[in-house]
Amino acid sequence: MSGIQYLFPEYEVVRNDDRCIRCRVCERQCANEVHCYDEGRDKMFSDESKCVNCQRCVSLCPTRALKIVKSDCRLRENANWDSDTIREIYKQAGSGGVLLSSMGNPKPLPVYWDKILINASQVTNPSIDPLREPMETRVFLGKKPEKIVRGEDGRLVTDLPPQLELSLPVMFSAMSYGSISYNAHASLARAAAELGTCYNTGEGGLHEDFYPYGPHTIVQVASGRFGVHEDYLEAGAAIEIKMGQGAKPGIGGHLPGAKVGPDVSRTRMIPEGSDAISPAPHHDIYSIEDLRQLVWSLKEATGHRKPVIVKVAAVHNIAAIASGIARSGADILAIDGFRGGTGAAPTRIRDNVGIPVELALAAVDQRLRDEGIRSQVSLVVGGSIRSSADVVKAVALGADACYIATAAVLALGCHLCRTCQSGKCNWGIATQRPDLVKRLNPDIGSERLINLLTAWKHEIKELMGGMGINSIEALRGNRKMLRGVGLNETELRILGIAHAGE
Amino acid sequence: MKRVYVNEEWCLGCHLCEYNCAFANSGARDMVSALKGKPLVSRIRVEGDGRITYAVSCRHCTDPLCVTCCISGALRREDGVVRIDRGKCVGCLTCVLVCPYGAVAPGPDGAALKCELCLQNSCGAPACAAGCPNRAIVYEEREEERS
């Protein structure tokens, strides 16, 4: 320990003392112990060095006496050595460790969704009013037959490979029990069931209480194989093999032992208090052939009744990788872009590894079409789908459905303070501390998730109606409905869209 | 009849209900002028040991002991709500003594103070339930319980 504090506090707690009534709600609600009350002087004090700017105190202050602002204490301006970079150097010089971060890549890298615009009908073709006419947002994920087949009796063969039916092209993506709380999982499970979509267990197994939500659950099999057993596989509507995660492509996961309490331990099938380490690779998968073996093992184990999803991070050779996965027998391919969230990842990996999901999606859809194998897999994309407009753009670029997780935890109250790794989530989401977990009432959580996706569904219908399209099926891969703005030739070519005005 | 119910499973012990209650019954237009620098006068109280917490306020019993014992006729039951005419209260505090829930307390003026479901103040519905951040306090109709 050095007596010198190299890191000055990033935020300041500004308290309007004319408004503060000393109710001490801020003090009781802050797990970081920023606020305290001095009875003798009847004053509230703040230790801003502990503040992570999660805004819990701001949100609960009954007189709106608080605000958290970025400290204007500045290092000398330097366009090359910005203050975040310098702070990271100070941290590492002090700790000698790998920097850890949470949630998605916050760097100002291009967001292609924002450079793509959607079409609308005018004069030559009618738009559709979703309030007056039927509009289909239902999608089925899984292998589709390539051609019409008739049996010996001349009748159509209608046996389809297993399909995952969703009422709208949005699912909640993988977040493990352990990385997020019991109540967060309960909220997701209930909302998914109510909405007619799916949530995803992540790699942490399925808590026994949530088996009734099985028809709306995607059970994940990741490199650590935590919580995987026959009943678990049988419980889900689909099985997802997690090969990679957008926030940390190429590396595994690490749930600290402190978060492995009795419930997490039982669900993950590991000893209480032990670190849950997911290896970087699956130790039985070193090739597409190996992956094929796991895909088919899981299908065998579940009687070929459940679609198998393979989830990969969007990386440089994603199109070739996707082609391999499509040929491995997987029913659904999930691609996670570099902005995808995480409960903890090495900062350097989160901020520098992987590619934007928009480009990956366009490249993969094109490649699978070129190879004539697009109907063998459904495409699901995730990694910062922020709104219904992003969903519509993704579908038009070729996705069958989207995965959302950051948007979902935001609906649950997350304020993106990006300190999930501390385990002290004041919103009861990314924590296992019982007093914090109870802050998320699943009655409220599931309601907010249902509201969010209900709103998105309305908006998706409005956007489709505007284009004169009345079903997701007719929008999928319909890149003529998209135009780029401010994109160069290469970007437009990869996205397969024309520039606005063309 | 709608009553205030407490789900202690979701109580965070934040004490916001006490402040919302005090404000609702203060007659003031904003919380700051109602509560700043003044002692807290609330009809609901958060009990607990830090691990388990829950708010306690009048249960509006079907057969309220406080009403039976009131010597001045200040307490009465009206449409299921146990109400108090604080002008009539003589401050004997028998009600405080007999309430099995500890939900009646002496007010700063000596007269007893209890929850009247915010039906008479500007809130119109219990402020504790409306302001509870985690739905630990709810105002709802439930199957009539014997109380």
Side-chain angles (χ1 to χ4, degrees), chain A residues 165-334:
Chain A
E165 182 181 345
L166 310 173
S167 72
L168 78 169
V170 182
M171 299 186 283
F172 299 124
S173 45
M175 289 179 279
S176 69
Y177 175 45
S179 77
I180 60 169
S181 66
Y182 177 93
N183 288 336
H185 255 213
S187 305
L188 289 165
R190 279 197 222 168
E194 183 75 24
L195 288 159
T197 183
C198 286
Y199 83 109
N200 190 313
T201 61
E203 57 184 309
L206 179 61
H207 192 283
E208 55 199 8
D209 293 355
F210 303 139
Y211 274 75
Y213 300 98
H216 297 281
T217 307
I218 294 170
V219 293
Q220 204 179 58
V221 175
S223 61
R225 300 287 200 272
F226 297 119
V228 177
H229 53 92
E230 196 184 343
D231 294 344
Y232 170 75
L233 297 176
E234 277 298 336
I239 302 167
E240 180 172 273
I241 301 170
K242 178 198 176 185
M243 297 304 304
Q245 184 178 345
K248 40 182 174 179
I251 65 163
H254 180 177
L255 184 74
K259 292 189 184 177
V260 183
D263 256 14
V264 173
S265 136
R266 204 166 38 250
T267 307
R268 292 207 175 208
M269 301 166 21
I270 55 171
E272 223 173 288
S274 63
D275 288 16
I277 295 178
S278 297
H282 285 247
H283 286 312
D284 50 358
I285 301 179
Y286 284 83
S287 65
I288 289 286
E289 291 75 16
D290 291 346
L291 173 66
R292 185 182 172 81
Q293 282 194 358
L294 182 58
V295 169
W296 285 95
S297 313
L298 292 172
K299 288 188 173 193
E300 279 294 319
T302 52
H304 296 264
R305 280 176 285 106
K306 295 173 195 296
V308 172
I309 307 169
V310 174
K311 175 181 175 179
V312 286
V315 289
H316 299 180
N317 284 323
I318 188 68
I321 294 162
S323 166
I325 292 170
R327 292 166 198 279
S328 76
D331 300 276
I332 301 163
L333 166 61

Side-chain angles (χ1 to χ4, degrees), chain A residues 8-24:
Chain A
F8 55 81
E10 257 185 288
Y11 307 102
E12 280 173 28
V13 179
V14 181
R15 182 182 299 272
N16 182 341
D17 211 47
D18 286 341
R19 285 188 170 190
C20 176
I21 57 170
R22 313 285 186 259
C23 67
R24 300 169 70 182

Side-chain angles (χ1 to χ4, degrees), chain A residues 440-459:
Chain A
L440 177 59
N441 181 341
D443 289 347
I444 302 174
S446 57
E447 224 172 81
R448 292 179 59 82
L449 288 168
I450 292 165
N451 282 343
L452 178 75
L453 285 194
T454 306
W456 283 24
K457 195 171 176 176
H458 284 306
E459 292 176 338

Side-chain angles (χ1 to χ4, degrees), chain A residues 17-25 28-29 42 56 60-63 183 190 435-444 447, chain B residues 7-16 18-20 31-38 50-53 132-136:
Chain A
D17 211 47
D18 286 341
R19 285 188 170 190
C20 176
I21 57 170
R22 313 285 186 259
C23 67
R24 300 169 70 182
V25 169
R28 292 187 197 98
Q29 288 290 298
D42 186 36
R56 178 77 182 178
L60 265 81
C61 176
T63 56
N183 288 336
R190 279 197 222 168
D435 60 320
L436 300 177
V437 171
K438 79 191 298 199
R439 292 184 183 182
L440 177 59
N441 181 341
D443 289 347
I444 302 174
E447 224 172 81
Chain B
N7 306 314
E8 81 240 22
E9 189 186 358
W10 303 120
C11 177
L12 311 176
C14 71
H15 293 248
L16 265 176
E18 297 174 353
Y19 291 85
N20 286 321
M31 192 181 255
V32 178
S33 51
L35 306 179
K36 176 119 184 111
K38 295 174 190 160
R51 267 182 324 114
I52 298 168
T53 50
C132 179
N134 209 31
R135 265 186 226 167

